[in-house]
mmCIF file of all heavy atoms in Angstrom:
data_model
loop_
_atom_site.group_PDB
_atom_site.id
_atom_site.type_symbol
_atom_site.label_atom_id
_atom_site.label_comp_id
_atom_site.label_asym_id
_atom_site.label_seq_id
_atom_site.Cartn_x
_atom_site.Cartn_y
_atom_site.Cartn_z
ATOM 1 N N ARG A 15 13.477 -22.495 -0.583
ATOM 2 C CA ARG A 15 14.953 -22.514 -0.556
ATOM 3 C C ARG A 15 15.564 -23.310 -1.715
ATOM 4 O O ARG A 15 16.515 -22.841 -2.349
ATOM 5 C CB ARG A 15 15.476 -23.030 0.790
ATOM 6 C CG ARG A 15 15.160 -22.133 1.989
ATOM 7 C CD ARG A 15 15.748 -20.716 1.903
ATOM 8 N NE ARG A 15 15.288 -19.957 3.058
ATOM 9 C CZ ARG A 15 14.242 -19.115 3.056
ATOM 10 N NH1 ARG A 15 13.572 -18.869 1.932
ATOM 11 N NH2 ARG A 15 13.856 -18.502 4.156
ATOM 12 N N PRO A 16 15.032 -24.508 -2.054
ATOM 13 C CA PRO A 16 15.627 -25.235 -3.192
ATOM 14 C C PRO A 16 15.470 -24.470 -4.506
ATOM 15 O O PRO A 16 16.364 -24.488 -5.351
ATOM 16 C CB PRO A 16 14.823 -26.546 -3.238
ATOM 17 C CG PRO A 16 14.202 -26.676 -1.890
ATOM 18 C CD PRO A 16 14.004 -25.293 -1.358
ATOM 19 N N LEU A 17 14.360 -23.747 -4.667
ATOM 20 C CA LEU A 17 14.172 -22.970 -5.897
ATOM 21 C C LEU A 17 15.207 -21.850 -5.954
ATOM 22 O O LEU A 17 15.785 -21.565 -7.004
ATOM 23 C CB LEU A 17 12.750 -22.379 -5.936
ATOM 24 C CG LEU A 17 11.609 -23.402 -5.894
ATOM 25 C CD1 LEU A 17 10.255 -22.695 -5.824
ATOM 26 C CD2 LEU A 17 11.664 -24.289 -7.140
ATOM 27 N N GLN A 18 15.450 -21.236 -4.784
ATOM 28 C CA GLN A 18 16.449 -20.158 -4.718
ATOM 29 C C GLN A 18 17.852 -20.708 -5.005
ATOM 30 O O GLN A 18 18.645 -20.066 -5.693
ATOM 31 C CB GLN A 18 16.387 -19.470 -3.345
ATOM 32 C CG GLN A 18 15.134 -18.605 -3.243
ATOM 33 C CD GLN A 18 14.693 -18.285 -1.824
ATOM 34 O OE1 GLN A 18 14.769 -19.125 -0.927
ATOM 35 N NE2 GLN A 18 14.205 -17.072 -1.618
ATOM 36 N N ALA A 19 18.111 -21.933 -4.505
ATOM 37 C CA ALA A 19 19.422 -22.551 -4.740
ATOM 38 C C ALA A 19 19.644 -22.824 -6.233
ATOM 39 O O ALA A 19 20.770 -22.812 -6.718
ATOM 40 C CB ALA A 19 19.531 -23.849 -3.943
ATOM 41 N N GLN A 20 18.538 -23.029 -6.952
ATOM 42 C CA GLN A 20 18.653 -23.238 -8.417
ATOM 43 C C GLN A 20 18.850 -21.927 -9.167
ATOM 44 O O GLN A 20 18.935 -21.906 -10.385
ATOM 45 C CB GLN A 20 17.355 -23.837 -8.953
ATOM 46 C CG GLN A 20 17.130 -25.305 -8.679
ATOM 47 C CD GLN A 20 15.696 -25.696 -9.071
ATOM 48 O OE1 GLN A 20 15.180 -25.257 -10.087
ATOM 49 N NE2 GLN A 20 15.052 -26.491 -8.245
ATOM 50 N N GLY A 21 18.796 -20.814 -8.444
ATOM 51 C CA GLY A 21 18.996 -19.515 -9.094
ATOM 52 C C GLY A 21 17.717 -18.845 -9.557
ATOM 53 O O GLY A 21 17.766 -17.830 -10.253
ATOM 54 N N LEU A 22 16.577 -19.433 -9.193
ATOM 55 C CA LEU A 22 15.309 -18.788 -9.591
ATOM 56 C C LEU A 22 15.062 -17.569 -8.716
ATOM 57 O O LEU A 22 15.290 -17.604 -7.506
ATOM 58 C CB LEU A 22 14.142 -19.779 -9.449
ATOM 59 C CG LEU A 22 14.193 -20.973 -10.401
ATOM 60 C CD1 LEU A 22 13.104 -21.980 -10.059
ATOM 61 C CD2 LEU A 22 14.046 -20.503 -11.847
ATOM 62 N N ARG A 23 14.604 -16.482 -9.348
ATOM 63 C CA ARG A 23 14.326 -15.260 -8.573
ATOM 64 C C ARG A 23 12.904 -15.320 -8.010
ATOM 65 O O ARG A 23 11.969 -15.778 -8.685
ATOM 66 C CB ARG A 23 14.460 -14.024 -9.467
ATOM 67 C CG ARG A 23 15.905 -13.713 -9.832
ATOM 68 C CD ARG A 23 15.975 -12.650 -10.890
ATOM 69 N NE ARG A 23 15.241 -13.076 -12.078
ATOM 70 C CZ ARG A 23 14.999 -12.305 -13.134
ATOM 71 N NH1 ARG A 23 15.420 -11.072 -13.158
ATOM 72 N NH2 ARG A 23 14.322 -12.774 -14.178
ATOM 73 N N ILE A 24 12.782 -14.851 -6.788
ATOM 74 C CA ILE A 24 11.486 -14.883 -6.097
ATOM 75 C C ILE A 24 10.920 -13.469 -6.033
ATOM 76 O O ILE A 24 11.598 -12.537 -5.592
ATOM 77 C CB ILE A 24 11.637 -15.405 -4.643
ATOM 78 C CG1 ILE A 24 12.404 -16.744 -4.595
ATOM 79 C CG2 ILE A 24 10.275 -15.517 -3.953
ATOM 80 C CD1 ILE A 24 11.681 -17.944 -5.098
ATOM 81 N N GLY A 25 9.671 -13.324 -6.448
ATOM 82 C CA GLY A 25 8.966 -12.041 -6.325
ATOM 83 C C GLY A 25 7.876 -12.178 -5.280
ATOM 84 O O GLY A 25 7.093 -13.133 -5.314
ATOM 85 N N LEU A 26 7.855 -11.252 -4.324
ATOM 86 C CA LEU A 26 6.859 -11.327 -3.241
ATOM 87 C C LEU A 26 5.835 -10.200 -3.395
ATOM 88 O O LEU A 26 6.207 -9.037 -3.610
ATOM 89 C CB LEU A 26 7.566 -11.200 -1.880
ATOM 90 C CG LEU A 26 6.641 -11.116 -0.648
ATOM 91 C CD1 LEU A 26 5.853 -12.418 -0.454
ATOM 92 C CD2 LEU A 26 7.462 -10.805 0.615
ATOM 93 N N VAL A 27 4.561 -10.574 -3.269
ATOM 94 C CA VAL A 27 3.485 -9.571 -3.268
ATOM 95 C C VAL A 27 2.741 -9.705 -1.936
ATOM 96 O O VAL A 27 1.855 -10.547 -1.790
ATOM 97 C CB VAL A 27 2.513 -9.783 -4.458
ATOM 98 C CG1 VAL A 27 1.402 -8.744 -4.425
ATOM 99 C CG2 VAL A 27 3.266 -9.720 -5.784
ATOM 100 N N PRO A 28 3.115 -8.883 -0.948
ATOM 101 C CA PRO A 28 2.438 -8.950 0.354
ATOM 102 C C PRO A 28 1.076 -8.251 0.271
ATOM 103 O O PRO A 28 0.985 -7.142 -0.257
ATOM 104 C CB PRO A 28 3.364 -8.180 1.295
ATOM 105 C CG PRO A 28 4.669 -8.028 0.562
ATOM 106 C CD PRO A 28 4.281 -7.994 -0.879
ATOM 107 N N THR A 29 0.034 -8.887 0.788
ATOM 108 C CA THR A 29 -1.302 -8.272 0.787
ATOM 109 C C THR A 29 -2.018 -8.619 2.094
ATOM 110 O O THR A 29 -1.572 -9.477 2.857
ATOM 111 C CB THR A 29 -2.194 -8.776 -0.378
ATOM 112 O OG1 THR A 29 -2.752 -10.053 -0.006
ATOM 113 C CG2 THR A 29 -1.432 -8.923 -1.680
ATOM 114 N N MET A 30 -3.151 -7.963 2.285
ATOM 115 C CA MET A 30 -4.037 -8.335 3.395
ATOM 116 C C MET A 30 -5.301 -8.998 2.841
ATOM 117 O O MET A 30 -6.316 -9.091 3.538
ATOM 118 C CB MET A 30 -4.390 -7.117 4.236
ATOM 119 C CG MET A 30 -3.147 -6.497 4.882
ATOM 120 S SD MET A 30 -3.504 -5.554 6.364
ATOM 121 C CE MET A 30 -4.628 -4.334 5.757
ATOM 122 N N GLY A 31 -5.251 -9.453 1.580
ATOM 123 C CA GLY A 31 -6.394 -10.157 1.004
ATOM 124 C C GLY A 31 -7.490 -9.207 0.549
ATOM 125 O O GLY A 31 -7.255 -8.010 0.379
ATOM 126 N N ALA A 32 -8.712 -9.770 0.336
ATOM 127 C CA ALA A 32 -9.831 -9.016 -0.255
ATOM 128 C C ALA A 32 -9.328 -8.380 -1.549
ATOM 129 O O ALA A 32 -9.420 -7.169 -1.747
ATOM 130 C CB ALA A 32 -10.392 -7.985 0.716
ATOM 131 N N LEU A 33 -8.805 -9.232 -2.408
ATOM 132 C CA LEU A 33 -8.021 -8.758 -3.550
ATOM 133 C C LEU A 33 -8.887 -8.142 -4.647
ATOM 134 O O LEU A 33 -9.974 -8.643 -4.946
ATOM 135 C CB LEU A 33 -7.221 -9.929 -4.133
ATOM 136 C CG LEU A 33 -6.273 -10.620 -3.140
ATOM 137 C CD1 LEU A 33 -5.545 -11.775 -3.840
ATOM 138 C CD2 LEU A 33 -5.258 -9.653 -2.547
ATOM 139 N N HIS A 34 -8.370 -7.074 -5.233
ATOM 140 C CA HIS A 34 -9.033 -6.426 -6.369
ATOM 141 C C HIS A 34 -7.999 -6.272 -7.493
ATOM 142 O O HIS A 34 -6.841 -6.703 -7.348
ATOM 143 C CB HIS A 34 -9.622 -5.083 -5.941
ATOM 144 C CG HIS A 34 -8.672 -4.197 -5.201
ATOM 145 N ND1 HIS A 34 -7.550 -3.645 -5.788
ATOM 146 C CD2 HIS A 34 -8.639 -3.782 -3.897
ATOM 147 C CE1 HIS A 34 -6.893 -2.923 -4.910
ATOM 148 N NE2 HIS A 34 -7.513 -2.992 -3.732
ATOM 149 N N ALA A 35 -8.426 -5.623 -8.573
ATOM 150 C CA ALA A 35 -7.549 -5.523 -9.753
ATOM 151 C C ALA A 35 -6.227 -4.826 -9.426
ATOM 152 O O ALA A 35 -5.209 -5.109 -10.058
ATOM 153 C CB ALA A 35 -8.272 -4.796 -10.874
ATOM 154 N N GLY A 36 -6.242 -3.925 -8.429
ATOM 155 C CA GLY A 36 -5.001 -3.249 -8.043
ATOM 156 C C GLY A 36 -3.974 -4.263 -7.542
ATOM 157 O O GLY A 36 -2.799 -4.214 -7.913
ATOM 158 N N HIS A 37 -4.428 -5.201 -6.695
ATOM 159 C CA HIS A 37 -3.501 -6.225 -6.190
ATOM 160 C C HIS A 37 -2.967 -7.092 -7.339
ATOM 161 O O HIS A 37 -1.797 -7.461 -7.361
ATOM 162 C CB HIS A 37 -4.212 -7.157 -5.199
ATOM 163 C CG HIS A 37 -4.648 -6.496 -3.928
ATOM 164 N ND1 HIS A 37 -5.965 -6.250 -3.627
ATOM 165 C CD2 HIS A 37 -3.929 -6.041 -2.875
ATOM 166 C CE1 HIS A 37 -6.043 -5.669 -2.436
ATOM 167 N NE2 HIS A 37 -4.832 -5.528 -1.966
ATOM 168 N N LEU A 38 -3.864 -7.424 -8.267
ATOM 169 C CA LEU A 38 -3.435 -8.320 -9.354
ATOM 170 C C LEU A 38 -2.408 -7.620 -10.250
ATOM 171 O O LEU A 38 -1.535 -8.265 -10.824
ATOM 172 C CB LEU A 38 -4.648 -8.826 -10.142
ATOM 173 C CG LEU A 38 -5.688 -9.554 -9.257
ATOM 174 C CD1 LEU A 38 -6.825 -10.106 -10.101
ATOM 175 C CD2 LEU A 38 -5.067 -10.675 -8.421
ATOM 176 N N SER A 39 -2.485 -6.282 -10.310
ATOM 177 C CA SER A 39 -1.470 -5.547 -11.081
ATOM 178 C C SER A 39 -0.106 -5.646 -10.382
ATOM 179 O O SER A 39 0.935 -5.587 -11.031
ATOM 180 C CB SER A 39 -1.881 -4.085 -11.290
ATOM 181 O OG SER A 39 -1.651 -3.333 -10.112
ATOM 182 N N LEU A 40 -0.101 -5.821 -9.062
ATOM 183 C CA LEU A 40 1.171 -6.003 -8.337
ATOM 184 C C LEU A 40 1.791 -7.353 -8.723
ATOM 185 O O LEU A 40 3.010 -7.474 -8.879
ATOM 186 C CB LEU A 40 0.962 -5.963 -6.819
ATOM 187 C CG LEU A 40 0.261 -4.741 -6.214
ATOM 188 C CD1 LEU A 40 0.188 -4.865 -4.691
ATOM 189 C CD2 LEU A 40 0.981 -3.455 -6.590
ATOM 190 N N VAL A 41 0.937 -8.357 -8.862
ATOM 191 C CA VAL A 41 1.425 -9.690 -9.273
ATOM 192 C C VAL A 41 2.047 -9.590 -10.667
ATOM 193 O O VAL A 41 3.140 -10.113 -10.921
ATOM 194 C CB VAL A 41 0.279 -10.723 -9.271
ATOM 195 C CG1 VAL A 41 0.747 -12.051 -9.855
ATOM 196 C CG2 VAL A 41 -0.275 -10.915 -7.856
ATOM 197 N N ARG A 42 1.359 -8.865 -11.551
ATOM 198 C CA ARG A 42 1.890 -8.735 -12.925
ATOM 199 C C ARG A 42 3.236 -8.005 -12.920
ATOM 200 O O ARG A 42 4.144 -8.361 -13.665
ATOM 201 C CB ARG A 42 0.879 -8.003 -13.812
ATOM 202 C CG ARG A 42 -0.113 -8.995 -14.372
ATOM 203 C CD ARG A 42 -1.219 -8.335 -15.149
ATOM 204 N NE ARG A 42 -2.468 -8.885 -14.658
ATOM 205 C CZ ARG A 42 -3.564 -8.189 -14.430
ATOM 206 N NH1 ARG A 42 -3.594 -6.901 -14.661
ATOM 207 N NH2 ARG A 42 -4.635 -8.798 -13.974
ATOM 208 N N GLU A 43 3.347 -7.006 -12.059
ATOM 209 C CA GLU A 43 4.625 -6.279 -11.960
ATOM 210 C C GLU A 43 5.718 -7.239 -11.447
ATOM 211 O O GLU A 43 6.825 -7.262 -11.972
ATOM 212 C CB GLU A 43 4.461 -5.080 -11.001
ATOM 213 C CG GLU A 43 5.685 -4.216 -10.824
ATOM 214 C CD GLU A 43 6.178 -3.555 -12.129
ATOM 215 O OE1 GLU A 43 5.336 -3.247 -12.999
ATOM 216 O OE2 GLU A 43 7.404 -3.374 -12.265
ATOM 217 N N ALA A 44 5.388 -8.038 -10.443
ATOM 218 C CA ALA A 44 6.371 -8.971 -9.865
ATOM 219 C C ALA A 44 6.875 -9.953 -10.928
ATOM 220 O O ALA A 44 8.059 -10.310 -10.951
ATOM 221 C CB ALA A 44 5.751 -9.719 -8.689
ATOM 222 N N LYS A 45 5.951 -10.348 -11.825
ATOM 223 C CA LYS A 45 6.339 -11.322 -12.856
ATOM 224 C C LYS A 45 7.382 -10.759 -13.828
ATOM 225 O O LYS A 45 8.092 -11.526 -14.471
ATOM 226 C CB LYS A 45 5.107 -11.768 -13.645
ATOM 227 C CG LYS A 45 4.311 -12.844 -12.900
ATOM 228 C CD LYS A 45 2.890 -12.870 -13.322
ATOM 229 C CE LYS A 45 2.506 -13.891 -14.318
ATOM 230 N NZ LYS A 45 1.046 -13.834 -14.577
ATOM 231 N N LYS A 46 7.474 -9.435 -13.901
ATOM 232 C CA LYS A 46 8.493 -8.835 -14.786
ATOM 233 C C LYS A 46 9.892 -9.029 -14.212
ATOM 234 O O LYS A 46 10.877 -8.901 -14.913
ATOM 235 C CB LYS A 46 8.242 -7.319 -14.931
ATOM 236 C CG LYS A 46 6.993 -6.962 -15.672
ATOM 237 C CD LYS A 46 6.936 -5.441 -15.804
ATOM 238 C CE LYS A 46 5.545 -4.986 -16.186
ATOM 239 N NZ LYS A 46 5.337 -3.560 -15.870
ATOM 240 N N HIS A 47 9.977 -9.278 -12.896
ATOM 241 C CA HIS A 47 11.291 -9.300 -12.236
ATOM 242 C C HIS A 47 11.666 -10.668 -11.665
ATOM 243 O O HIS A 47 12.758 -10.816 -11.135
ATOM 244 C CB HIS A 47 11.311 -8.312 -11.057
ATOM 245 C CG HIS A 47 10.838 -6.936 -11.425
ATOM 246 N ND1 HIS A 47 11.620 -6.035 -12.084
ATOM 247 C CD2 HIS A 47 9.644 -6.324 -11.233
ATOM 248 C CE1 HIS A 47 10.946 -4.910 -12.279
ATOM 249 N NE2 HIS A 47 9.745 -5.061 -11.770
ATOM 250 N N ALA A 48 10.755 -11.618 -11.692
ATOM 251 C CA ALA A 48 11.022 -12.882 -10.978
ATOM 252 C C ALA A 48 10.338 -14.050 -11.670
ATOM 253 O O ALA A 48 9.320 -13.881 -12.344
ATOM 254 C CB ALA A 48 10.526 -12.759 -9.546
ATOM 255 N N GLU A 49 10.914 -15.235 -11.471
ATOM 256 C CA GLU A 49 10.340 -16.447 -12.082
ATOM 257 C C GLU A 49 9.297 -17.096 -11.179
ATOM 258 O O GLU A 49 8.370 -17.742 -11.651
ATOM 259 C CB GLU A 49 11.444 -17.487 -12.366
ATOM 260 C CG GLU A 49 12.406 -17.112 -13.485
ATOM 261 C CD GLU A 49 13.506 -16.158 -13.040
ATOM 262 O OE1 GLU A 49 13.932 -16.245 -11.875
ATOM 263 O OE2 GLU A 49 13.922 -15.314 -13.867
ATOM 264 N N VAL A 50 9.490 -16.976 -9.866
ATOM 265 C CA VAL A 50 8.558 -17.609 -8.916
ATOM 266 C C VAL A 50 7.858 -16.485 -8.143
ATOM 267 O O VAL A 50 8.517 -15.636 -7.544
ATOM 268 C CB VAL A 50 9.309 -18.523 -7.917
ATOM 269 C CG1 VAL A 50 8.342 -19.126 -6.897
ATOM 270 C CG2 VAL A 50 10.070 -19.608 -8.669
ATOM 271 N N ILE A 51 6.525 -16.498 -8.163
ATOM 272 C CA ILE A 51 5.791 -15.438 -7.470
ATOM 273 C C ILE A 51 5.134 -16.007 -6.212
ATOM 274 O O ILE A 51 4.391 -16.996 -6.270
ATOM 275 C CB ILE A 51 4.698 -14.806 -8.378
ATOM 276 C CG1 ILE A 51 5.312 -14.358 -9.713
ATOM 277 C CG2 ILE A 51 4.007 -13.653 -7.645
ATOM 278 C CD1 ILE A 51 6.435 -13.355 -9.606
ATOM 279 N N VAL A 52 5.437 -15.350 -5.104
ATOM 280 C CA VAL A 52 4.822 -15.698 -3.820
ATOM 281 C C VAL A 52 3.925 -14.524 -3.434
ATOM 282 O O VAL A 52 4.377 -13.379 -3.421
ATOM 283 C CB VAL A 52 5.901 -15.886 -2.724
ATOM 284 C CG1 VAL A 52 5.259 -16.235 -1.382
ATOM 285 C CG2 VAL A 52 6.911 -16.946 -3.144
ATOM 286 N N ALA A 53 2.658 -14.826 -3.152
ATOM 287 C CA ALA A 53 1.772 -13.789 -2.604
ATOM 288 C C ALA A 53 1.538 -14.135 -1.144
ATOM 289 O O ALA A 53 1.543 -15.312 -0.773
ATOM 290 C CB ALA A 53 0.452 -13.754 -3.358
ATOM 291 N N SER A 54 1.367 -13.129 -0.313
ATOM 292 C CA SER A 54 0.977 -13.421 1.068
ATOM 293 C C SER A 54 -0.337 -12.719 1.369
ATOM 294 O O SER A 54 -0.605 -11.636 0.836
ATOM 295 C CB SER A 54 2.067 -13.003 2.056
ATOM 296 O OG SER A 54 2.225 -11.607 2.047
ATOM 297 N N ILE A 55 -1.128 -13.388 2.189
ATOM 298 C CA ILE A 55 -2.366 -12.786 2.687
ATOM 299 C C ILE A 55 -2.319 -12.890 4.203
ATOM 300 O O ILE A 55 -2.255 -13.986 4.768
ATOM 301 C CB ILE A 55 -3.613 -13.526 2.151
ATOM 302 C CG1 ILE A 55 -3.706 -13.340 0.633
ATOM 303 C CG2 ILE A 55 -4.878 -13.009 2.849
ATOM 304 C CD1 ILE A 55 -4.934 -13.987 -0.003
ATOM 305 N N PHE A 56 -2.273 -11.736 4.841
ATOM 306 C CA PHE A 56 -2.237 -11.718 6.304
ATOM 307 C C PHE A 56 -2.794 -10.379 6.765
ATOM 308 O O PHE A 56 -2.229 -9.332 6.445
ATOM 309 C CB PHE A 56 -0.794 -11.902 6.809
ATOM 310 C CG PHE A 56 -0.673 -11.888 8.306
ATOM 311 C CD1 PHE A 56 -1.345 -12.829 9.081
ATOM 312 C CD2 PHE A 56 0.092 -10.926 8.956
ATOM 313 C CE1 PHE A 56 -1.253 -12.815 10.469
ATOM 314 C CE2 PHE A 56 0.200 -10.909 10.343
ATOM 315 C CZ PHE A 56 -0.483 -11.863 11.097
ATOM 316 N N VAL A 57 -3.913 -10.428 7.472
ATOM 317 C CA VAL A 57 -4.492 -9.194 8.012
ATOM 318 C C VAL A 57 -3.740 -8.940 9.318
ATOM 319 O O VAL A 57 -3.992 -9.586 10.339
ATOM 320 C CB VAL A 57 -6.022 -9.331 8.224
ATOM 321 C CG1 VAL A 57 -6.601 -8.009 8.712
ATOM 322 C CG2 VAL A 57 -6.699 -9.739 6.914
#
Side-chain angles (χ1 to χ4, degrees):
R15 295 299 176 263
L17 300 175
Q18 287 159 321
Q20 284 171 41
L22 294 173
R23 288 170 302 173
I24 308 288
L26 174 65
V27 179
T29 81
M30 298 204 301
L33 302 179
H34 50 66
H37 294 109
L38 303 183
S39 78
L40 305 182
V41 173
R42 274 175 229 138
E43 181 61 32
K45 279 156 99 177
K46 292 183 196 160
H47 309 282
E49 290 81 33
V50 177
I51 307 302
V52 179
S54 66
I55 294 182
F56 180 60
V57 183

